[in-house]
Amino acid sequence: MEKEICTISITTNWLADEYTFYENNTIKRVYDKNSMSSNHTEWLEPKQISKQNKDKLIRNCPEECKEKVMLVLDYP
């Protein structure tokens, strides 16, 4: 298993939405579709994440991880 960089939550209201970044440039998302359908997992490529969500992820990212996460996300 690759080493984890960090996990960032961009949860809104009561629905979970967390992204975990790994050093091999993979991204795992765990989210709730609705209150009856929770903890879905998907593996994403940076291009599959909207600019709006990338902005939220960078805003919520711990300062010590920001540079690595920006590289994984291919953020401006």
Side-chain angles (χ1 to χ4, degrees):
M1 185 71 179
E2 278 297 314
K3 186 174 177 199
E4 184 179 314
I5 298 170
C6 68
T7 298
I8 303 169
S9 174
I10 58 170
T11 299
T12 56
N13 299 327
W14 62 88
L15 299 177
D17 196 4
E18 294 184 342
Y19 294 76
T20 302
F21 295 85
Y22 296 91
E23 289 190 348
N24 68 349
N25 294 334
T26 57
I27 306 164
K28 179 174 76 171
R29 179 183 182 210
V30 179
Y31 65 100
D32 299 341
K33 287 186 178 180
N34 56 53
S35 60
M36 303 300 273
S37 180
S38 61
N39 289 327
H40 292 272
T41 300
E42 63 183 356
W43 292 90
L44 301 171
E45 298 287 327
K47 65 185 176 203
Q48 295 174 281
I49 302 173
S50 71
K51 166 118 174 51
Q52 179 182 356
N53 280 351
K54 285 182 181 181
D55 290 343
K56 288 180 190 176
L57 287 163
I58 296 302
R59 255 195 322 272
N60 293 340
C61 184
E63 199 60 42
E64 64 273 10
C65 302
K66 201 167 275 193
E67 188 175 325
K68 286 183 179 181
V69 169
M70 288 174 79
L71 287 172
V72 173
L73 282 175
D74 193 25
Y75 192 76

